[in-house]
Amino acid sequence: MKTIQISKYGRPGEVIELVDVAPPDRAGPGEVIIAMTLAPIHPADLLLARGFYGVRPKLPAVLGGEGVGRVLQAGDGVGLKPGDRVLVPNRYPCWAEQIKIPATGLFACPPDVPDDQLALVSVNPLTAMLMLDESRLTPGRWFIQNAANSGVGRAAIMIARAKGLRSVNLVRRPELIPELKSIGADIVLLEGPNLKQRLAAEAGAVAIDAAFDGVAGESTAQLVACLAKGGTLTSYAGVSNQPFSLSPTEMIFRDITLRGFWLVDWLTRTAPETVAERLQSLVEMTRQGVIRSEVAVDYAVEDFAAAIAHAQKGEGKILLRFGTRHAA
C-alpha cells in the first residue's frame, strides 16, 4: 500500500516521499484498521517535515495530523463495524492508504456529512472551540483574532456566532471583509497601524476580553493593545515566522495574561472519551451547517508532490485523496 512519509528532515518538497509498504496486519482486540479517504495538509505537517515542530518522531515517520476514513476491520471488543466512517484524531499519523490504531474514542459519523468536511473537524475547529471555551467568554462578550481567514479563524467566527459571542477579526486583504461577515464576523478590519484607534472608530468603547494570535510578529502587540484590562492573549501559531515583542507597560499595568495553546498537548492530557465528546459536538455542528470548512482542492495520493507544493503557497486548504469521496 502507499504511504507518505519522511526519512530525514528538510524542505518538504525534497524530503516528503511516497513509498510502498506492507498493509497493517489483522486488527487486534480494541483496534481497528481504517482505509483512509481524505486527509488535509496543515502547516504543522510541513513544519514537522522540516524538523521545526514541537515533536520529532523517530524516522522514517508517516505524516498527517487528521482525516476521515472507513473501518476495514474491527478487533474484538470494538463497537464499530466495517464500513463505518470515522475521524482519525490528531495523535495518529494518517497519510497512508490504511492505518491500524486503537479504537478508543472513535465513533461512527452520520451519513449526511461530506467527507471533505469530516476530514477537517479534528484540528482547526477543535482548536477554535477549545480556545473559546478556555477563555470563559459569556454571551455578548468580545474577542479579537488575527489570521481570521485561516481554518482556525473561520471556525472561531462560526462557533462564536452559535454561542452568542462577538468577534473582531483581522485580515490582510480587503476582499475578505464581506466574506467573513457573511459567516458571522461582527467586525473585520485590515491589519496595520493604528488598529486600536480604527477599532474604536467602528465599534466604540467595547471591552475585549480575549485575543487569539496565529500570526506573531508585530501583530501580537496590536492585539494586546486592543485588549481590556485583565485580558488574555492566547498564542496558537506563528505564520509570520517572526518573534513577538510586548511592552512591559502593557503587560504590567493592564494585567495582561499571555498563554500558549497547543492542540497536541491538550490531546495528550485529555481522556479519549472527552476528546470524542468534543469531536462529536463539532460533527453535529457541521451536520447542521453551523460550521463549514473551505476546501480549495483535493489531490490523489499519487499527486502528493503537487499537493505539497500547492499547500506551501498558503492558498486555501489542500486535501490528499486516498479513496472514494462520500458526498452527502
Side-chain angles (χ1 to χ4, degrees), residues 213-256:
D213 183 12
V215 177
E218 295 180 2
S219 184
T220 306
Q222 294 176 2
L223 292 178
V224 169
C226 294
L227 281 171
K229 184 175 181 178
T232 297
L233 181 135
T234 300
S235 174
Y236 70 92
V239 297
S240 69
N241 294 317
Q242 297 294 322
F244 55 74
S245 59
L246 299 174
S247 164
T249 301
E250 293 274 8
M251 304 298 290
I252 297 169
F253 297 118
R254 294 204 298 115
D255 190 23
I256 301 299

Coordinates of all heavy atoms in Angstrom, one line a residue, residues 213-256:
D213 N -3.9 34.7 18.8 CA -2.8 35.1 17.9 C -2.3 33.9 17.1 O -1.7 33.0 17.7 CB -1.7 35.7 18.8 CG -0.5 36.2 17.9 OD1 -0.7 36.3 16.7 OD2 0.5 36.5 18.5
G214 N -2.5 33.9 15.8 CA -2.0 32.9 14.9 C -0.9 33.4 14.0 O -0.4 32.7 13.1
V215 N -0.4 34.6 14.2 CA 0.5 35.3 13.3 C 1.8 35.6 14.0 O 2.9 35.3 13.4 CB -0.1 36.6 12.8 CG1 0.9 37.3 11.9 CG2 -1.4 36.3 12.0
A216 N 1.8 36.1 15.2 CA 3.0 36.6 15.9 C 3.6 37.8 15.2 O 2.9 38.5 14.4 CB 4.1 35.5 16.0
G217 N 4.9 38.1 15.5 CA 5.5 39.3 14.9 C 4.8 40.6 15.5 O 4.3 40.6 16.6
E218 N 4.7 41.6 14.7 CA 4.1 42.9 15.1 C 2.6 42.8 15.4 O 2.1 43.5 16.2 CB 4.3 44.0 14.0 CG 5.8 44.3 13.7 CD 5.9 45.4 12.7 OE1 4.9 45.8 12.2 OE2 7.1 45.8 12.4
S219 N 2.0 41.8 14.8 CA 0.6 41.6 15.0 C 0.2 41.4 16.5 O -0.9 41.7 16.9 CB 0.0 40.5 14.1 OG -1.4 40.4 14.2
T220 N 1.1 40.7 17.2 CA 0.8 40.3 18.6 C 0.6 41.6 19.4 O -0.3 41.7 20.2 CB 1.9 39.5 19.2 OG1 2.1 38.3 18.3 CG2 1.6 39.0 20.6
A221 N 1.5 42.6 19.3 CA 1.4 43.8 20.0 C 0.1 44.6 19.7 O -0.5 45.2 20.6 CB 2.6 44.7 19.8
Q222 N -0.3 44.5 18.4 CA -1.6 45.1 18.0 C -2.8 44.5 18.8 O -3.7 45.2 19.2 CB -1.8 45.1 16.5 CG -0.7 45.9 15.7 CD -0.9 45.7 14.2 OE1 -1.8 45.0 13.8 NE2 0.0 46.3 13.5
L223 N -2.7 43.2 18.9 CA -3.8 42.5 19.6 C -3.8 42.9 21.1 O -4.9 43.2 21.6 CB -3.7 41.0 19.5 CG -3.9 40.4 18.1 CD1 -3.6 38.9 18.2 CD2 -5.3 40.6 17.6
V224 N -2.7 42.9 21.7 CA -2.6 43.2 23.1 C -3.1 44.6 23.4 O -3.8 44.9 24.3 CB -1.1 43.0 23.6 CG1 -1.0 43.7 25.0 CG2 -0.8 41.6 23.6
A225 N -2.8 45.6 22.5 CA -3.2 47.0 22.6 C -4.7 47.1 22.6 O -5.2 48.0 23.2 CB -2.6 47.8 21.5
C226 N -5.4 46.2 22.0 CA -6.9 46.2 21.9 C -7.5 45.5 23.1 O -8.8 45.7 23.3 CB -7.3 45.6 20.6 SG -6.8 46.5 19.1
L227 N -6.8 44.8 23.9 CA -7.4 44.0 25.0 C -7.8 45.0 26.1 O -7.1 46.0 26.4 CB -6.4 43.0 25.5 CG -6.3 41.7 24.8 CD1 -5.1 40.9 25.3 CD2 -7.6 40.9 24.8
A228 N -8.9 44.6 26.8 CA -9.3 45.3 28.0 C -8.3 44.9 29.2 O -7.6 43.9 29.1 CB -10.7 45.0 28.4
K229 N -8.3 45.7 30.2 CA -7.5 45.4 31.4 C -7.9 44.0 31.9 O -9.1 43.7 32.0 CB -7.7 46.5 32.5 CG -6.8 46.2 33.7 CD -6.9 47.4 34.7 CE -6.0 47.1 35.9 NZ -6.0 48.2 36.9
G230 N -6.9 43.2 32.2 CA -7.2 41.8 32.7 C -7.4 40.9 31.6 O -7.7 39.7 31.9
G231 N -7.2 41.3 30.3 CA -7.5 40.4 29.2 C -6.4 39.3 29.0 O -5.3 39.4 29.6
T232 N -6.7 38.4 28.2 CA -5.8 37.2 27.9 C -5.5 37.1 26.4 O -6.4 37.1 25.6 CB -6.3 35.9 28.5 OG1 -6.5 36.0 29.9 CG2 -5.4 34.7 28.2
L233 N -4.2 37.0 26.1 CA -3.8 36.7 24.7 C -3.4 35.2 24.7 O -2.5 34.8 25.4 CB -2.7 37.6 24.2 CG -2.3 37.3 22.8 CD1 -2.1 38.6 22.0 CD2 -1.0 36.5 22.7
T234 N -3.9 34.4 23.7 CA -3.5 33.0 23.5 C -2.8 32.9 22.2 O -3.3 33.3 21.2 CB -4.8 32.1 23.5 OG1 -5.5 32.2 24.8 CG2 -4.4 30.7 23.3
S235 N -1.6 32.5 22.3 CA -0.8 32.3 21.1 C -0.9 30.8 20.7 O -0.5 29.9 21.4 CB 0.7 32.6 21.4 OG 1.5 32.3 20.3
Y236 N -1.3 30.6 19.4 CA -1.5 29.2 19.0 C -0.7 28.9 17.7 O -0.6 27.7 17.3 CB -3.0 28.8 18.8 CG -3.7 29.5 17.6 CD1 -3.7 28.9 16.4 CD2 -4.2 30.8 17.8 CE1 -4.3 29.5 15.3 CE2 -4.8 31.4 16.7 CZ -4.9 30.8 15.5 OH -5.5 31.4 14.4
A237 N -0.2 29.9 17.0 CA 0.6 29.7 15.8 C 1.4 30.9 15.5 O 1.2 31.9 16.2 CB -0.4 29.4 14.6
G238 N 2.3 30.8 14.5 CA 3.1 32.0 14.2 C 3.5 32.0 12.7 O 4.6 31.8 12.4
V239 N 2.5 32.2 11.9 CA 2.6 32.1 10.5 C 3.6 33.1 9.9 O 4.1 32.9 8.8 CB 1.3 32.1 9.7 CG1 0.4 30.9 10.1 CG2 0.6 33.4 10.0
S240 N 3.8 34.2 10.6 CA 4.8 35.2 10.1 C 6.2 34.7 10.3 O 7.1 35.4 9.7 CB 4.6 36.5 10.9 OG 5.0 36.4 12.3
N241 N 6.4 33.7 11.1 CA 7.8 33.2 11.4 C 8.6 34.3 12.0 O 9.9 34.3 11.9 CB 8.5 32.7 10.1 CG 7.8 31.5 9.5 OD1 7.5 30.5 10.3 ND2 7.7 31.4 8.2
Q242 N 8.0 35.2 12.7 CA 8.7 36.3 13.4 C 8.4 36.2 14.9 O 7.3 35.9 15.3 CB 8.2 37.6 12.9 CG 8.5 37.9 11.4 CD 10.0 38.0 11.1 OE1 10.7 38.5 11.9 NE2 10.4 37.4 10.0
P243 N 9.4 36.5 15.8 CA 9.1 36.6 17.2 C 8.3 37.8 17.5 O 8.3 38.8 16.7 CB 10.5 36.7 17.8 CG 11.3 37.3 16.7 CD 10.8 36.8 15.4
F244 N 7.6 37.8 18.6 CA 6.8 39.0 19.0 C 7.5 39.6 20.2 O 8.1 38.9 21.1 CB 5.3 38.7 19.3 CG 5.0 37.6 20.3 CD1 5.2 37.8 21.6 CD2 4.5 36.4 19.8 CE1 4.9 36.8 22.5 CE2 4.2 35.4 20.8 CZ 4.4 35.6 22.1
S245 N 7.3 40.9 20.3 CA 7.8 41.7 21.5 C 6.7 42.5 22.0 O 5.9 43.0 21.3 CB 9.0 42.6 21.1 OG 8.6 43.5 20.1
L246 N 6.6 42.5 23.4 CA 5.4 43.1 24.0 C 6.0 44.2 25.0 O 7.0 44.0 25.7 CB 4.6 42.1 24.8 CG 3.9 41.1 23.9 CD1 3.2 40.0 24.7 CD2 2.9 41.7 22.9
S247 N 5.2 45.2 25.2 CA 5.6 46.3 26.1 C 5.4 45.8 27.6 O 4.3 45.4 27.9 CB 4.8 47.6 25.8 OG 4.9 48.5 26.9
P248 N 6.4 45.9 28.4 CA 6.2 45.7 29.8 C 5.1 46.5 30.4 O 4.3 46.1 31.3 CB 7.5 45.9 30.5 CG 8.5 45.8 29.4 CD 7.8 46.3 28.2
T249 N 5.0 47.8 29.9 CA 3.9 48.7 30.4 C 2.5 48.1 30.2 O 1.7 48.1 31.0 CB 4.0 50.0 29.8 OG1 5.3 50.6 30.1 CG2 3.0 51.0 30.3
E250 N 2.3 47.6 29.0 CA 1.1 46.9 28.6 C 0.8 45.7 29.5 O -0.3 45.6 30.0 CB 1.1 46.5 27.1 CG 1.1 47.6 26.1 CD -0.2 48.1 25.8 OE1 -1.2 47.7 26.4 OE2 -0.3 49.0 24.9
M251 N 1.8 44.9 29.7 CA 1.6 43.7 30.4 C 1.4 43.9 31.9 O 0.5 43.3 32.5 CB 2.8 42.7 30.2 CG 3.1 42.4 28.7 SD 1.8 41.6 27.9 CE 1.8 40.0 28.7
I252 N 2.1 44.8 32.5 CA 2.1 45.0 33.9 C 0.9 45.9 34.4 O 0.1 45.4 35.2 CB 3.4 45.7 34.4 CG1 4.6 44.7 34.1 CG2 3.4 46.0 35.9 CD1 6.0 45.4 34.3
F253 N 0.8 47.1 33.8 CA -0.2 48.0 34.3 C -1.6 47.7 33.8 O -2.6 48.2 34.4 CB 0.2 49.4 33.9 CG 1.5 49.8 34.6 CD1 2.6 50.2 33.8 CD2 1.6 49.9 36.0 CE1 3.8 50.5 34.4 CE2 2.8 50.2 36.6 CZ 3.9 50.6 35.8
R254 N -1.7 46.8 32.8 CA -3.1 46.4 32.4 C -3.3 45.0 32.7 O -4.3 44.4 32.2 CB -3.3 46.7 30.9 CG -3.3 48.2 30.6 CD -4.0 48.6 29.3 NE -3.4 48.0 28.2 CZ -4.0 47.1 27.4 NH1 -5.2 46.7 27.7 NH2 -3.4 46.7 26.3
D255 N -2.4 44.3 33.4 CA -2.6 43.0 33.9 C -3.0 42.0 32.8 O -4.0 41.2 32.9 CB -3.7 43.0 35.0 CG -3.8 41.6 35.7 OD1 -2.8 40.9 35.7 OD2 -4.9 41.3 36.3
I256 N -2.2 42.0 31.7 CA -2.5 41.2 30.6 C -1.8 39.8 30.8 O -0.7 39.7 31.2 CB -1.9 41.8 29.2 CG1 -2.6 43.2 29.0 CG2 -2.2 40.9 28.1 CD1 -4.1 43.1 28.8

